[in-house]
Amino acid sequence: MESLRESGFDESIFFELTPDLMCIAGKDGFFRKVNPAVIKKLGYSEAELMARPISSFIHSEDKMTTQHRRTTELLRGKSLLNFQNRYIKKNGELVWLEWTSVYNPEKEVVFAIAKDITERKQIEIELEEKYKKFKSLTTHFKSSIEEDRRYLANELHEELAQLASVLKTDIEWIHANASALSPTAKSRIEHTLGISRLLIKTIRRISFSISPNMLEHLGLNATLEWHSKEFSILNGMPCSFESAYDETLLSNEVRIDLFRICQESLMNIVHHAKAGHVKIRIEDLGDQLQLSITDDGKGFDASRQKRRGGLIRMRERASSINGQLEVRSEPGKGTTVSVRLRK
């Protein structure tokens, strides 16, 4: 095949006329040749660009990353594709450039071409700032809701439960000392005593459901282990809990959200799954942590799942902590709800 040069095409014309920034740099870190687009974009003369190390034009925060990629990849024969860094123009403005660079070891030079992506990066930065504000608001609202939950749970546990305990104590005293009561009255008192005991247990269960204090004091593992045992007792459905990860990696916000997702999933199992056994597990997958809740219930066609309130709440909570929620199920084969989080 006839080469471009043999056909009379002069590559230097393309080098001079292309709007992309093109340059040739030496292994020593200095420009050897630049096209007019580089001069126009950065605002320096060709002589000024040649006189200083290329690193002197790079933003201070990007110098280390650029040098590392250059020495560990580029100069070792690996091409740099879509590498982004910031350059400082002569007038002090910053410009984002996206580079594709190739090293020629025989001539010890780097051939590089770049595009100005400043406008795109500004949009990305603005979107990131909006996301951070949104996430901050979400965290604030969740914290406020959890604080209200803690207050309500404390009122239930400390006030109502104590009042119910006093009531139970009085009924027990009457039951033990009122020998003159009729058998019917004694029977009613025994019934009332049983109801008072059930009332205390119910208040404590609701209090835990609203806001488990042990989550803050003992951690997620201890809370889920206790919750799984309580779930088994209350619903007559064996529920086991296993963990194989470092809980110290989790923030308090993540602990709360994982507990709420687990809580919501267990409620769905009680109301819909008709399961015989439930298994909760948190495990370390290397660069991710995974919470999974698996039941052996009736299952459903996951591809046709409806956007129920419980599922929507779980997805929203997972998303708020940068996690991904997945629901796997088939008719007759149970269901697994899992959340994966990057460490």
Side-chain angles (χ1 to χ4, degrees):
M1 182 178 292
E2 185 181 32
S3 69
L4 290 175
R5 188 172 296 278
E6 290 173 345
S7 67
F9 179 82
D10 187 353
E11 297 96 327
S12 63
I13 296 176
F14 176 74
F15 187 87
E16 295 294 326
L17 297 180
T18 179
D20 291 332
L21 285 69
M22 297 185 69
C23 65
I24 300 174
K27 188 178 180 180
D28 58 2
F30 282 78
F31 285 119
R32 296 284 180 83
K33 186 176 182 180
V34 296
N35 73 342
V38 175
I39 297 170
K40 182 179 179 181
K41 181 62 62 177
L42 298 183
Y44 294 96
S45 67
E46 185 174 8
E48 289 173 324
L49 290 169
M50 301 293 181
R52 291 162 47 184
I54 297 173
S55 60
S56 67
F57 300 104
I58 299 174
H59 190 281
S60 58
E61 294 179 4
D62 296 341
K63 284 184 180 181
M64 187 175 294
T65 303
T66 303
Q67 177 66 14
H68 176 74
R69 294 289 297 275
R70 181 177 184 273
T71 56
T72 62
E73 296 181 29
L74 183 61
L75 297 183
R76 294 186 179 182
K78 183 177 180 181
S79 300
L80 291 188
L81 302 177
N82 304 321
F83 174 69
Q84 300 175 2
N85 60 7
R86 288 166 291 180
Y87 274 64
I88 304 172
K89 298 167 68 172
K90 188 172 183 178
N91 62 7
E93 293 179 0
L94 293 180
V95 57
W96 278 94
L97 299 178
E98 186 173 72
W99 295 91
T100 294
S101 306
V102 179
Y103 178 60
N104 185 326
E106 294 181 3
K107 296 185 178 181
E108 295 190 338
V109 293
V110 174
F111 298 96
I113 183 170
K115 291 183 178 294
D116 180 358
I117 59 168
T118 305
E119 186 175 344
R120 189 180 87 197
K121 291 298 294 187
Q122 287 174 342
I123 293 173
E124 290 177 3
I125 292 170
E126 288 175 6
L127 288 175
E128 186 176 354
E129 288 299 319
K130 289 180 180 178
Y131 170 76
K132 287 179 179 178
K133 289 180 181 179
F134 175 77
K135 192 174 188 306
S136 177
L137 283 173
T138 301
T139 301
H140 170 73
F141 288 138
K142 286 198 299 183
S143 299
S144 179
I145 290 171
E146 289 298 332
E147 186 62 34
D148 291 340
R149 283 175 176 265
R150 279 193 290 271
Y151 174 78
L152 179 57
N154 185 67
E155 289 295 301
L156 281 171
H157 188 270
E158 299 299 329
E159 299 293 334
L160 284 182
Q162 288 188 19
L163 290 173
S165 296
V166 172
L167 177 63
K168 182 176 77 72
T169 300
D170 289 344
I171 295 172
E172 287 174 340
W173 186 91
I174 294 172
H175 183 265
N177 294 281
S179 57
L181 291 175
S182 67
T184 301
K186 286 186 176 181
S187 176
R188 296 295 295 179
I189 289 176
E190 288 176 359
H191 176 73
T192 305
L193 184 58
I195 293 297
S196 66
R197 289 168 180 160
L198 180 61
L199 175 62
I200 292 170
K201 289 183 179 179
T202 302
I203 291 172
R204 287 174 176 166
R205 176 175 58 80
I206 293 174
S207 174
F208 176 87
S209 178
I210 293 173
S211 181
N213 287 328
M214 65 187 302
L215 183 61
E216 183 177 349
H217 297 117
L218 300 179
L220 182 62
N221 280 344
T223 304
L224 287 180
E225 185 173 3
W226 185 92
H227 192 40
S228 62
K229 292 178 181 177
E230 188 77 357
F231 179 88
S232 300
I233 295 170
L234 293 174
N235 298 286
M237 187 187 306
C239 179
S240 61
F241 172 68
E242 299 177 2
S243 67
Y245 75 109
D246 182 2
E247 187 174 338
T248 61
L249 296 173
L250 304 182
S251 66
N252 187 54
E253 179 190 2
V254 171
R255 289 190 183 99
I256 291 172
D257 282 327
L258 290 181
F259 173 78
R260 293 297 180 202
I261 290 170
C262 185
Q263 191 179 40
E264 189 79 49
S265 183
L266 291 176
M267 288 177 61
N268 287 342
I269 291 171
V270 170
H271 292 129
H272 306 293
K274 296 183 179 180
H277 184 269
V278 182
K279 181 179 180 180
I280 305 168
R281 179 173 175 79
I282 305 179
E283 56 190 322
D284 191 328
L285 302 179
D287 61 341
Q288 294 180 322
L289 291 177
Q290 176 174 277
L291 163 69
S292 59
I293 306 98
T294 303
D295 70 72
D296 59 358
K298 64 180 184 179
F300 57 93
D301 186 349
S303 65
R304 297 182 178 180
Q305 61 181 320
K306 296 180 181 179
R307 294 182 63 81
R308 297 190 180 94
L311 181 59
I312 291 173
R313 285 191 291 271
M314 286 191 288
R315 289 194 186 282
E316 288 175 347
R317 281 193 176 272
S319 178
S320 72
I321 51 176
N322 297 324
Q324 291 185 328
L325 185 135
E326 181 183 10
V327 179
R328 301 189 301 276
S329 185
E330 292 182 35
K333 296 185 178 180
T335 301
T336 295
V337 175
S338 61
V339 182
R340 288 194 178 189
L341 300 171
R342 288 199 173 275
K343 291 183 181 177

